[in-house]
Amino acid sequence: MNSSISILHPGFYTTVQDNGRKSYAHLGVPQSGAMDKHAFMIANAILNNTPGAAMLECTLLGPTIEFNHNVNFVITGSNAGATLDGAQVMEGVPVLAKAKQVLKMSNISGGSRSYLAFAGGIDSQTILGSKGWYLPLTPEGKLTVGMELSLGISKYGKSKGAHLKMQSQSGVIHSSVATINTYEGPEFSKLTYNQQQQLSDHVFTVSNLWNRMAIQLVETLPNALKSIYTSPVIPGTVQLTPSGKLIILMNDCQTTGGYPRVLQVVASDFNKLAQMQQGSQFLLNVT
Amino acid sequence: MRQYDFHISRLGDYSLLIQIDSKPSKYLLNWLLIKKADLSKLLNAEVVHTYNELLVKDCISVNTNLESLINQVSAALNVPVSSDDYNSVVHKIPVCYSSKYAADLEEYASQIKCTIPEIIEIHTSIEYPIYFLGFLPGFPYLENLDARLHLDRKSVPSRLIPKGSVAIGGTQTGIYPQDSPGGWHVIGRTPISLFDATKATPSMFKAGDMIQFYAISESDFEEITTSNNL
């Protein structure tokens, strides 16, 4: 029989995520997958899981869960203030939870997303090659009270190799104003010199519209650039709308879009964006 | 023999974007479909196409020699396409245009100054080629909408356009494969399910196929819906 966990409180917005859906963009299917890949990969490595094993991605407020069996787990990403039956749980350190123990995560700090992984991974239904959740492609969209999630077979402690433990979380932003490196996007050259300068000069702020699909920025750019023929977009594409709004596309974004693609975020800086929330500030560096 | 000028650039760290220097047309669509298949095979990568672009996804790694990759892609794109023929599948799609399933039809009719029977007549008389799928899983971008039916998108988008809705946005018509917010005018609904993620071939449509709509009654609509659920 597989191990499982039960959801006592879902947290603010908690989803099951893995490496996402490959090879279905041509049908209009979003890529999805864990936003902070760095935190995701470390969690699976610590537990000796397969690199793409599914786990919980917790946003702003983590869930409270009860273990139905003895299970090794780890929390990575931003600080989640977690306790297991009242005892503090450190980020990045694997813990063996006993059956009936309760893990309570609280407000997430230092960033916006924490990752809660279990040895063996979450064994949700595979849909189009991924166990991750994306409504309405998958039956579930986010955690709700009373859900029971089954886990895969644990390989924790079975390898002779070194066990990975870590104390600090390098995926999380520590400075108040981050720098996000970008490439010029396909329509960058159509911007005026002034617009190009403003992209590099402004301090940008994440607006209240931020989720797994996109991050919209508060600061606008005076814009006379027209829409383009609907064209391919990918996570990290920065679009400029006719009203001058800048939108950074994230994992659950559409596969095509009609707004000019002015910048493309460098892959290694995407994890920083994944940890931002309303009010986070950053500079854009165009390389 | 058909050939196009193109420009190759990187999109992000892992993908190549090919922009074709031409307006959308059915000839370009045919060329794109052939080149998409060629590149996909050549590079063992997923290729996404839109009106006049191809995106070769995740074809660049740390070990890639970018110059030789671009040369390889250029060579494949420069092979002329000999035929403009494309053997299209035509999907006949039932649509109920009655007000129960067409929230915006009356308002839309008054704005374009057509009667509802005229709209149905025009909308069902044309075969629409599917240029590509995007926006939502299985959403077809269709061309060929009669100019009499063109109308700019709503200034305030609807919060919920129901699954199966057939709608008009600007110069385009389309079908919503799932519930979604949207700014298009809903003129009818199909009881056919366009996208099933649990199937090996999840999308009923593929780029290059044709769609023709035909009008059905409310009772036909309900009958088809019931038989879908059996």
Side-chain angles (χ1 to χ4, degrees), chain A residues 87-168:
Chain A
Q88 195 191 342
V89 175
M90 297 274 290
E91 277 72 26
V93 181
V95 175
L96 173 64
K98 301 264 171 60
K100 300 296 170 200
Q101 282 199 301
V102 171
L103 175 70
K104 187 177 189 304
M105 293 168 79
S106 53
N107 285 320
I108 290 169
S109 58
S112 57
R113 290 182 173 91
S114 303
Y115 291 82
L116 170 57
F118 308 94
I122 295 173
D123 192 23
S124 46
Q125 190 185 352
T126 302
I127 292 182
L128 301 181
S130 167
K131 291 185 183 296
W133 288 356
Y134 173 79
L135 268 179
L137 225 54
T138 58
E140 309 291 352
K142 59 176 183 177
L143 282 195
T144 53
V145 177
M147 269 183 180
E148 185 176 337
L149 300 177
S150 6
L151 307 177
I153 308 292
S154 169
K155 291 181 290 173
Y156 184 74
K158 290 195 177 143
S159 73
K160 292 265 159 95
H163 277 248
L164 183 61
K165 289 191 184 185
M166 59 176 301
Q167 301 295 333
S168 76

Side-chain angles (χ1 to χ4, degrees), chain B residues 96-144:
Chain B
C96 179
Y97 293 89
S98 77
S99 56
K100 185 176 176 185
Y101 299 115
D104 305 319
L105 186 55
E106 275 187 36
E107 173 63 24
Y108 169 78
S110 75
Q111 286 200 52
I112 63 165
K113 298 183 175 63
C114 272
T115 66
I116 289 171
E118 282 168 350
I119 291 169
I120 297 171
E121 166 65 28
I122 299 167
H123 195 246
T124 55
S125 66
I126 296 160
E127 285 187 349
Y128 303 97
I130 299 172
Y131 271 53
F132 57 94
L133 304 175
F135 171 48
L136 298 169
F139 182 92
Y141 280 81
L142 305 177
E143 285 296 299
N144 265 359

